[in-house]
């Protein structure tokens, strides 16, 4: 099956513009596959977003072909959590679709920490 190139972008996508640098963000992490930056509306003392450089609309669009990238995003969240000394724990959230509360249609992991998280989430 054909896969999209790692440079694939969606022209009207906010996070693709952050990847391209046309919308500013403080890149606290970057490698060839993904970037991490603070959420503009933080919900915890530490609230970072980890996003693939390639445009993927949501987790609902992911397939087994994306397994390596998804694993890389999770491992990156762990690394950033260590960088932020979230030694007491943290939460990774992937809002997906309308019911999932997704507002930006470019796959992203929320990394939240620095306070005690409640369950169930709202
Ligand atoms: P979601 O609601 O799961 O789609 O998450 C999208 C997140 O992107 C929200 O938590 C927003 O606060 C965040 N956000 C929107 N615009 C920006 C931006 N320019 N820089 C950083 N975070 C943003
Ligand atoms: Zn995008």
């Amino acid at each position: 099956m054909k896969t999209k190139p790692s440079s694939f972008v969606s022209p009207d996508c906010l996070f693709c513009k952050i990847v391209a640098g046309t919308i500013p963000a403080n890149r606290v992490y970057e490698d060839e596959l993904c970037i991490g930056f603070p959420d503009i509306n933080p919900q915890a003392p530490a609230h970072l977003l980890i996003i693939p450089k390639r445009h993927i609309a949501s987790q609902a669009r992911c397939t087994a072909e994306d397994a390596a990238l998804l694993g890389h995003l999770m491992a990156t969240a762990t690394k950033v959590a260590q960088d932020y000394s979230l030694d007491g724990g943290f939460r990774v959230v992937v809002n997906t679709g309308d019911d999932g509360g997704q507002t930006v249609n470019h796959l992203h992991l929320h990394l939240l920490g620095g306070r005690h998280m409640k369950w169930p989430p709202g």
Side-chain angles (χ1 to χ4, degrees):
M1 192 189 269
K2 208 164 181 228
T3 56
K4 286 178 178 150
S6 60
S7 59
F8 180 73
V9 297
S10 182
D12 296 326
C13 171
L14 173 67
F15 285 176
C16 281
K17 289 177 182 168
I18 286 179
V19 170
T22 53
I23 290 177
N26 175 22
R27 297 176 190 226
V28 300
Y29 180 86
E30 179 165 15
D31 64 28
E32 69 280 9
L33 294 176
C34 69
I35 61 172
F37 54 91
D39 195 294
I40 204 168
N41 183 22
Q43 302 301 311
H47 186 174
L48 295 311
L49 300 174
I50 315 293
I51 73 169
K53 288 185 171 176
R54 171 161 75 85
H55 181 84
I56 301 174
S58 80
Q59 183 171 347
R61 303 296 288 271
C62 292
T63 69
E65 289 181 351
D66 302 307
L69 175 61
L70 294 172
H72 181 75
L73 296 175
M74 288 294 278
T76 298
T78 305
K79 184 178 184 331
V80 175
Q82 289 165 351
D83 291 345
Y84 277 76
S85 302
L86 302 179
D87 304 324
F90 55 87
R91 181 173 289 177
V92 173
V93 174
V94 183
N95 296 327
T96 303
D98 284 345
D99 281 359
Q102 184 177 7
T103 60
V104 176
N105 293 325
H106 179 128
L107 178 69
H108 49 282
L109 275 58
H110 294 262
L111 170 63
L112 298 142
R115 68 169 169 84
H116 190 76
M117 302 292 161
K118 296 190 176 76
W119 192 264

